[in-house]
Amino acid sequence: MGEKKTKVFNPAATLNEIENKFEMFQILNEKGEVVNKDALPDLSDEELVELMTRMVYTRILDQRSISLNRQGRLGFYAPTAGQEASQLASHFALEKDDWILPGYRDVPQIVWHGLPLWKAFLFSRGHFVGNQIPEGVNVVPPQIIIGAQYVQTAGVALGLKKRGSKTVAITYTGDGGSSQGDFYEGINFAGAQKTPAIFIVQNNQFAISTPREVQTAAKTIAQKGIAAGIPSTLVDGMDALAVYVATKDARDRAVRGDGPSLIETMCYRYGPHTMSGDDPTRYRTSDIDNEWAAKDPIVRFRIFLEGKGLWNEQKETEVIERAKEEIKEAIKKADETPKQKVSDLISNMFEELPHNLKEQYEIFKAKESK
Amino acid sequence: MAQMTMIQAITDALRCELKDNENVLVFGEDVGVNGGVFRATEGLQNEFGVDRVFDTPLAESGIGGLAVGLCLTGYRPVPEIQFFGFVYEVMDSISGQLARYRYRTGNTFNMPVTIRSPFGGGVHTPEMHSDSLEGLMAQQPGLKVVIPSTPYDAKGLLISSIRDNDPVVFLEHLKLYRSFREEVPEESYTIPLGKADVKREGSDLSIFAYGLMVHESIKAAEELEKEGYSIEVVDLRTISPLDIDTIIASVEKTNRAIVVQEAQKQAGIAANVVAEINERAILSLEAPVLRVAAPDTIYPFPQAENIWLPNYKDILETAKKVLTF
């Protein structure tokens, strides 16, 4: 096309223009300095301390979970270190009655939302009691099928809207998850039906081993929300304050009736994809690891809080000790849970067992009583 | 009582349940103003409002996800998949999610969803509209799979499905939608899921069938009667779980059986029925149990449909083999 025509018809320039509008939203930089004073959230000192407490606690939970897994005392586990701001500051913007539809790395959010830790450990071990969610805790068990939680979140949000409830449904996936058809269907349904949903993409740069640039030509994942007609932001996912502000804003708009939002949090998982044999040295260099370690969410939030006189070494030690103690207790409680039986599993299939399962129930009941 | 076609009976069942329970929601592609491409939801949006009967964006997996999420907030969704040939797009929601929810949450959540969908051959649809994919559903533990063959059954079974607290896949044969009318009560009534129905009593041979094939089987039975045979036709109605008691009682009475399905022969419902009979009643049998089914090809192009689909002549032929064994 000639130069004259490209002036009036230039889709490439339109794309470029849109993509360049997605700048990363940040409040605290890597050094813990406030770079966006006007955007600082309206959080009390106690709330800031609580958020830090949760991040420190969760880092310890991650370390202990990895070591328990290595000892054979936990099963399936997806490490969370590096993603604390992304996970816990977004959760911190929620209210108790909001719904969480987690991916399998998002166990910390559902624990802080009310799922007892010993149940989270049972989930990891592969025991159904871990998925028996206590009444009044609005979470579902972690989703294994990447993206399925997105379409279901559109459903929960539609239900909340129909009930006239001033609550939201929030869900999480990763950069890889944003390639799924269900990702698009979920954000598109929620947009079309204008429902109170918050879709978070924790872009930790790798889907197992596949780097972000292999997933999509899109410069940001956030911009994918524009196609669905929903407000979308790119946020520094290592900055707890930025993640909190973006999620709080999305929640406020959702409960006002303004519909869903998409938030991309730029972050990194320090550990392997899961503890089931993944070796990140096959696909990440130590240079990349170091680059991200320098952006650590806890380090920068600690500097910020210390500067305000809200945090010190003693406080941190107290949180670490408390975490270790509670983890020990939770493991003990998980150990005390009776082993699951096939007859239990059979009776969880239907409200009323059909012919075939009744027969099979009797067979296993007899075997188990021997 | 009113004379209704099957499609009218289905609409009537939906109306009864929308009236009866405010948590019942009907949604899918074109189910609103348009009343569904077959008019199964005709007039329902007008009567119950756009909040309870609504169109969705065109995406089956999204529809499945809505169903799961709406259950979590206490609703009783009745989504429509426009044609069951499109089920592959929503397989994860059905098999990976809905069917497993009660089990994986140790009975703390349940999914009272009824997925309605038309299927079945003989009406010259484009590709992927006519396939009999009930076997895929029956393979999935945690689902109930219901296939009515008459307007009366369709209404009672659909109401039971919607009231059931576990997920039900309710498959409606395209060719039966408007093929005949019968008396259907205007009030609400239920027919239990998991119960077969003896559509025609007989003593020499049992024919087990479901959907359109019930009618082909009855036609074959009438022909055989002219030759002096007494044929029992059992409509399975629910293909998962199977009504073992009715199947075995019939075989023990007639001592001979065939099983008819419109689907391809491989790994089908008929094979499952044969296996149940072999395991439970082999000593009652005077002859092997044979199957009538479509060939193991992809569903044919419309112009070859009528020679590919099983019909009463195929049933007649197979029945005679068993009767004269």
Side-chain angles (χ1 to χ4, degrees):
Chain A
M1 202 177 280
E3 198 183 317
K4 200 173 163 190
K5 277 188 186 163
T6 56
K7 274 186 187 158
V8 290
F9 181 78
N10 194 341
T14 307
L15 172 67
N16 208 25
E17 202 181 306
I18 292 169
E19 288 194 317
N20 286 335
K21 286 194 172 149
F22 281 86
E23 283 176 17
M24 192 169 76
F25 175 60
Q26 191 183 57
I27 294 175
L28 281 185
N29 70 10
E30 296 177 18
K31 295 181 198 142
E33 297 159 348
V34 176
V35 294
N36 198 345
K37 199 159 174 283
D38 294 341
L40 273 171
D42 193 18
L43 285 171
S44 68
D45 289 351
E46 291 73 32
E47 285 169 324
L48 289 169
V49 167
E50 174 61 19
L51 178 53
M52 180 63 176
T53 300
R54 291 182 183 189
M55 286 168 59
V56 170
Y57 189 113
T58 304
R59 179 70 60 89
I60 298 303
L61 176 59
D62 186 61
Q63 289 167 359
R64 290 295 301 138
S65 298
I66 288 170
S67 102
L68 286 162
N69 170 282
R70 289 195 175 126
Q71 296 162 29
R73 299 182 66 199
L74 276 187
F76 173 76
Y77 182 69
T80 58
Q83 298 189 203
E84 291 88 352
S86 201
Q87 296 182 324
L88 300 168
S90 60
H91 175 257
F92 207 64
L94 304 181
E95 298 294 330
K96 173 142 196 335
D97 289 338
D98 291 341
W99 276 86
I100 305 178
L101 289 90
Y104 45 73
R105 202 180 306 285
D106 304 308
V107 175
Q109 296 97 304
I110 61 174
V111 167
W112 288 110
H113 211 57
L115 181 77
L117 189 54
W118 64 276
K119 287 206 178 236
F121 288 151
L122 283 178
F123 158 75
S124 166
R125 287 178 176 182
H127 194 304
F128 76 88
V129 169
N131 283 349
Q132 285 181 321
I133 310 293
E135 191 75 36
V137 178
N138 289 348
V139 306
V140 296
Q143 180 57 250
I144 299 301
I145 299 301
I146 310 283
Q149 69 272 38
Y150 262 54
V151 283
Q152 293 172 15
T153 297
V156 173
L158 181 61
L160 296 175
K161 181 180 175 179
K162 286 187 182 298
R163 298 268 180 225
S165 159
K166 292 284 170 207
T167 54
V168 304
I170 192 171
T171 190
Y172 296 85
T173 192
D175 36 316
S178 73
S179 296
Q180 285 281 7
D182 275 355
F183 169 85
Y184 294 97
E185 293 189 25
I187 62 174
N188 187 58
F189 271 56
Q193 296 170 332
K194 214 175 182 189
T195 54
I198 303 174
F199 298 99
I200 303 231
V201 176
Q202 297 186 75
N203 174 1
N204 66 14
Q205 317 304 320
F206 291 86
I208 304 187
S209 67
T210 308
R212 154 66 184 80
E213 59 269 24
V214 175
Q215 295 295 340
T216 175
K219 195 169 159 191
T220 67
I221 292 169
Q223 75 197 56
K224 293 186 178 190
I226 301 304
I230 70 176
S232 308
T233 358
L234 173 62
V235 175
D236 182 350
M238 308 298 263
D239 172 1
L241 294 180
V243 172
Y244 173 82
V245 167
T247 316
K248 181 74 170 47
D249 167 71
R251 189 184 185 282
D252 289 346
R253 280 185 285 104
V255 296
R256 271 206 312 267
D258 292 343
S261 301
L262 176 70
I263 300 169
E264 175 185 3
T265 62
M266 287 287 269
C267 59
Y268 200 68
R269 72 168 142 81
Y270 297 157
H273 166 65
T274 68
M275 293 304 292
S276 315
D278 179 46
D279 171 11
T281 64
R282 294 172 70 91
Y283 54 86
R284 297 193 309 210
T285 63
S286 55
D287 284 354
I288 305 175
D289 287 346
N290 293 337
E291 188 191 307
W292 281 94
K295 300 179 185 185
D296 189 80
I298 294 178
V299 169
R300 72 170 88 168
F301 201 43
R302 184 190 292 126
I303 297 170
F304 171 70
L305 292 184
E306 282 173 350
K308 289 170 80 79
L310 294 174
W311 197 256
N312 55 39
E313 209 181 316
Q314 192 203 333
K315 273 205 163 121
E316 186 143 339
T317 311
E318 278 169 22
V319 174
I320 292 170
E321 289 314 312
R322 189 186 115 204
K324 285 182 177 165
E325 194 51 40
E326 288 179 5
I327 291 164
K328 211 195 286 174
E329 285 302 309
I331 283 289
K332 213 169 115 194
K333 189 141 190 216
D335 288 344
E336 286 162 6
T337 309
K339 280 188 184 158
Q340 56 198 344
K341 296 182 186 131
V342 175
S343 60
D344 294 335
L345 301 177
I346 290 175
S347 45
N348 289 340
M349 282 300 298
F350 290 99
E351 184 174 51
E352 199 184 325
L353 291 187
H355 193 285
N356 52 335
L357 284 172
K358 264 187 204 153
E359 284 181 355
Q360 291 158 18
Y361 178 86
E362 292 307 327
I363 291 166
F364 277 91
K365 202 74 190 159
K367 272 189 196 171
E368 287 157 1
S369 66
K370 271 178 198 163
Chain B
M1 246 191 274
Q3 289 281 322
M4 289 188 202
T5 59
M6 190 154 113
I7 195 89
Q8 288 169 331
I10 286 165
T11 313
D12 204 43
L14 293 170
R15 183 180 293 113
C16 287
E17 289 312 280
L18 281 160
K19 250 187 216 160
D20 180 71
N21 185 339
E22 61 180 16
N23 287 321
V24 171
L25 300 175
V26 171
F27 56 91
E29 296 156 9
D30 309 301
V31 304
V33 173
N34 198 38
V37 292
F38 293 101
R39 310 291 176 255
T41 53
E42 176 88 52
L44 297 179
Q45 189 177 67
N46 248 344
E47 194 173 340
F48 297 97
V50 73
D51 214 38
R52 304 205 41 216
V53 179
F54 55 94
D55 289 329
T56 64
L58 200 168
E60 286 77 16
S61 186
I63 292 170
L66 275 195
V68 174
L70 287 166
C71 288
L72 292 171
T73 45
Y75 287 99
R76 199 168 273 274
V78 188
E80 177 178 295
I81 300 300
Q82 199 162 62
F83 286 91
F84 206 58
F86 311 163
V87 72
Y88 301 108
E89 295 288 334
V90 62
M91 275 303 277
D92 179 57
S93 284
I94 297 175
S95 291
Q97 311 291 331
L98 285 167
R100 305 167 79 97
Y101 230 97
R102 182 189 287 278
Y103 178 87
R104 66 191 283 266
T105 60
N107 241 331
T108 51
F109 290 104
N110 65 302
M111 293 282 139
V113 178
T114 302
I115 296 174
R116 289 183 40 251
S117 190
F119 82 108
V123 294
H124 301 309
T125 62
E127 280 183 278
M128 304 298 290
H129 286 64
S130 294
D131 295 56
S132 289
L133 301 173
E134 68 278 7
L136 287 179
M137 297 294 110
Q139 169 83 35
Q140 175 60 52
L143 295 178
K144 294 176 185 172
V145 187
V146 177
I147 303 180
S149 71
T150 68
Y152 179 86
D153 283 358
K155 180 171 173 182
L157 288 168
L158 183 52
I159 291 176
S160 293
S161 299
I162 295 171
R163 292 183 186 177
D164 199 278
N165 285 329
D166 288 299
V168 178
V169 176
F170 190 91
L171 299 174
E172 304 160 2
H173 200 291
L174 280 166
K175 212 173 172 181
L176 291 175
Y177 268 158
R178 292 182 172 82
S179 63
F180 68 101
R181 286 169 194 275
E182 68 178 359
E183 298 230 310
V184 175
E186 274 158 278
E187 65 273 20
S188 188
Y189 62 94
T190 58
I191 294 173
L193 305 186
K195 291 276 172 244
D197 185 39
V198 179
K199 286 280 189 274
R200 189 182 195 278
E201 288 203 36
S203 53
D204 295 333
L205 169 79
S206 303
I207 304 180
F208 299 104
Y210 55 93
L212 181 67
M213 288 300 123
V214 171
H215 300 280
E216 294 294 317
S217 299
I218 290 171
K219 209 164 154 188
E222 283 162 358
E223 290 292 316
L224 287 163
E225 193 176 302
K226 290 177 197 158
E227 297 177 34
Y229 293 111
S230 163
I231 308 295
E232 179 143 305
V233 177
V234 180
D235 179 357
L236 297 176
R237 295 199 297 200
T238 301
I239 56 145
S240 182
L242 285 172
D243 180 359
I244 301 293
D245 291 343
T246 304
I247 294 169
I248 299 307
S250 180
V251 170
E252 284 173 348
K253 179 171 77 171
T254 62
N255 311 115
R256 292 169 200 267
I258 66 171
V259 192
V260 186
Q261 68 180 26
E262 181 177 319
Q264 292 87 335
K265 197 169 199 174
Q266 63 184 59
I269 302 306
N272 208 10
V273 174
V274 175
E276 293 289 351
I277 294 170
N278 282 343
E279 284 181 7
R280 296 166 194 274
I282 199 153
L283 295 178
S284 302
L285 291 175
E286 297 289 348
V289 182
L290 298 186
R291 286 176 289 169
V292 178
D296 293 331
T297 71
I298 302 297
Y299 191 87
F301 299 98
Q303 298 224 334
E305 212 172 23
N306 288 336
I307 48 172
W308 184 89
L309 287 165
N311 62 28
Y312 80 96
K313 287 181 196 156
D314 304 312
I315 299 169
L316 211 53
E317 200 178 302
T318 305
K320 276 192 181 162
K321 274 188 204 161
V322 174
L323 283 163
T324 58
F325 181 80

